[in-house]
Amino acid sequence: MNSTTNIATAGNVATDIEATTSADIAIRPFRIDIPQADLDDLRERLARTRWPDELSGVGWSYGVPVTYARELAAYWRSGFDWRAQEAALNRFDQFTTEIDGQNIHFLHVRSPEPGALPLLLTHGWPGSIAEFMKVIGPLTDPRAHGGDPADAFHVVAPSIPGFGFSGPTTEPGWNLHRVARAWAELMRRLGYERYGAQGGDSGAVISPEVGRIDPEHVVGVHVNGALGFPTGDPAEFDGLSAAELKRLGQYQDQDRSGYAVIQATRPQTLAFGLTDSPAAQLAWIAEKFKEWTDPAHELPEHAVDRDQLLTDVSIYWLTRTAASSARLYKESAQAWGSAVTASTVPHGVAVFPGDAGVRRIAEREHKVVHWSEFDRGGHFPAMEVPELLVDDVRAFFRLVR
């Protein structure tokens, strides 16, 4: 193991998975166990933060206000309990395996229902496996959460290579397509002959790609957000509603896309600040939660649980994966908006406020059999409105089980 992955150690996690005899494809139990020295260092760095100046009266239009960042950092330093969140994550069975030369960390939570469908969940940036803490229970054990046991899933939720406990990557080339190939191999290695895929953000690109790579085994793909990209052909916009045109307008919004341009061009330069200053890492992620969560809410923690948000930020900080997670943008930038092979796998889409999903765009390259639009929630529905996301995932997969 490299120095980053050493911060978490294998533990005695109960599982029905048998490790293979070949060391390079072995599946090993894993528990998160951050050294206390790293937590002490985080608090000390936060206490020594050198705060920038700011203009008065500009709100969030120039970025994260200093007053807000200071308050959130103070809570991260003195009020947030990483050990409680670590214990909550460790209640889910976790494993690591090596695929294509890369360490892969994943949650694997099997349902008590014998007929459960395996479901591959993929996060994006600035997400992590912490996004799924509120949905894993209802997905794996609907009977215990007031649902129909026929809707049960075995959940496999990997950390994207370069992110969190799958990081860092150690060579170029880990783009979205390569991640999808690794996911198909992971599901094969776990022995799943039929499975579904679900994802948001980068996961909404990776999950359909898994369906293209492994159509013989993927029964359906569900995404939240957008599915496909506009080509720029004016005819593509004819007849769209005002709401749909507004959604597509996000692709031309340079003000919202600055972070992506930086990560797709100079991720290493950016990473010096994010890796050295927890306040910088906090602000870099908190801004996206402010911008992408339900627009009806004024602050990120009004849309998502503050401790869950800080758990996500802490994973980036404690695993030192600011650089390697940003590299996913650099590796994948050439493929943004390019045409892909039309998929014959059934797809479902859930569009939440602020998402860019338009059905006509999605249907150009995907077999869309389920489409939902919601008036609350946002880019992180598993954290914001977990009940809506779970219900929509269940509804879609009833069509393809």
Side-chain angles (χ1 to χ4, degrees):
M1 280 188 177
N2 56 47
S3 59
T4 300
T5 54
N6 270 339
I7 65 173
T9 58
N12 297 318
V13 183
T15 176
D16 58 2
I17 301 174
E18 294 184 2
T20 60
T21 56
S22 177
D24 61 338
I25 61 171
I27 295 172
R28 302 177 178 85
F30 182 91
R31 284 181 68 83
I32 304 169
D33 186 12
I34 301 297
Q36 185 60 41
D38 289 359
L39 301 179
D40 294 341
D41 176 71
L42 167 61
R43 295 188 179 99
E44 290 168 5
R45 286 172 182 264
L46 287 169
R48 297 196 312 269
T49 300
R50 188 170 73 165
W51 299 100
D53 72 316
E54 63 180 335
L55 299 174
S56 62
V58 299
W60 287 75
S61 63
Y62 280 68
V64 180
V66 174
T67 300
Y68 175 79
R70 293 186 73 138
E71 290 174 354
L72 190 58
Y75 178 76
W76 193 16
R77 178 174 180 260
S78 304
F80 174 71
D81 186 349
W82 166 259
R83 292 300 185 201
Q85 300 303 314
E86 183 180 75
L89 286 169
N90 280 333
R91 285 196 287 270
F92 303 122
D93 290 350
Q94 299 175 59
F95 306 88
T96 61
T97 191
E98 183 179 310
I99 299 176
D100 196 10
Q102 175 65 33
N103 175 67
I104 302 294
H105 162 264
F106 61 99
L107 309 183
H108 187 196
V109 186
R110 290 185 59 83
S111 171
E113 304 297 338
L117 176 70
L119 181 63
L120 176 66
L121 294 181
T122 306
H123 64 84
W125 184 91
S128 67
I129 47 106
E131 277 187 57
F132 304 127
M133 295 173 74
K134 293 181 178 179
V135 300
I136 290 175
L139 288 172
T140 57
D141 194 1
R143 189 193 301 269
H145 293 82
D148 184 344
D151 288 326
F153 298 94
H154 301 307
V155 167
V156 178
S159 300
I160 294 174
F163 288 67
F165 305 107
S166 285
T169 46
T170 58
E171 62 180 5
W174 274 101
N175 56 26
L176 298 170
H177 178 78
R178 187 174 177 182
V179 174
R181 291 204 323 266
W183 279 192
E185 167 59 19
L186 175 62
M187 298 304 277
R188 185 203 65 78
R189 196 171 292 184
L190 293 174
Y192 288 135
E193 293 293 326
R194 297 179 73 253
Y195 64 96
Q198 199 285 330
D201 192 83
S202 299
V205 181
I206 294 168
S207 298
E209 191 67 11
V210 175
R212 290 187 180 88
I213 289 169
D214 197 20
E216 299 86 0
H217 302 105
V218 177
V219 300
V221 175
H222 181 280
V223 305
N224 51 275
L227 183 62
F229 298 89
T231 63
D233 181 353
E236 204 166 41
F237 301 92
D238 290 345
L240 293 181
S241 69
E244 290 172 324
L245 290 171
K246 182 178 180 181
R247 290 177 201 160
L248 291 182
Q250 295 182 49
Y251 291 105
Q252 283 76 48
D253 189 345
Q254 297 297 313
D255 192 56
R256 290 170 61 95
S257 62
Y259 81 97
V261 174
I262 294 174
Q263 296 198 151
T265 56
R266 296 295 183 269
Q268 190 63 47
T269 304
L270 170 69
F272 285 97
L274 301 186
T275 304
D276 188 59
S277 167
Q281 181 71 90
L282 176 65
W284 190 244
I285 291 179
E287 182 192 84
K288 297 302 109 186
F289 275 86
K290 158 65 176 175
E291 199 159 67
W292 294 348
T293 51
D294 191 332
H297 296 295
E298 182 180 357
L299 295 174
E301 60 266 38
H302 297 164
V304 302
D305 178 83
R306 182 167 59 169
D307 285 340
Q308 193 177 15
L309 167 59
L310 288 173
T311 300
D312 182 66
V313 176
S314 297
I315 288 173
Y316 281 83
W317 173 260
L318 295 168
T319 60
R320 302 183 186 183
T321 49
S324 56
S325 61
R327 286 198 291 266
L328 182 67
Y329 283 71
K330 177 78 169 177
E331 302 290 355
S332 305
Q334 279 191 325
W336 287 354
S338 61
V340 296
T341 303
S343 176
T344 59
V345 174
H347 284 67
V349 182
V351 181
F352 293 90
D355 287 336
V358 172
R359 184 160 190 166
R360 181 191 298 177
I361 304 298
E363 289 179 331
R364 190 180 64 237
E365 298 166 338
H366 307 86
K367 181 182 177 182
V368 178
V369 300
H370 173 89
W371 187 273
S372 300
E373 297 186 10
F374 298 93
D375 60 5
R376 62 188 179 95
H379 194 68
F380 305 94
M383 301 172 74
E384 299 179 68
V385 284
E387 72 287 352
L388 295 184
L389 180 63
V390 167
D391 285 348
D392 203 68
V393 169
R394 289 172 176 170
F396 166 69
F397 281 102
R398 286 180 199 132
L399 304 176
V400 299
R401 280 179 179 266

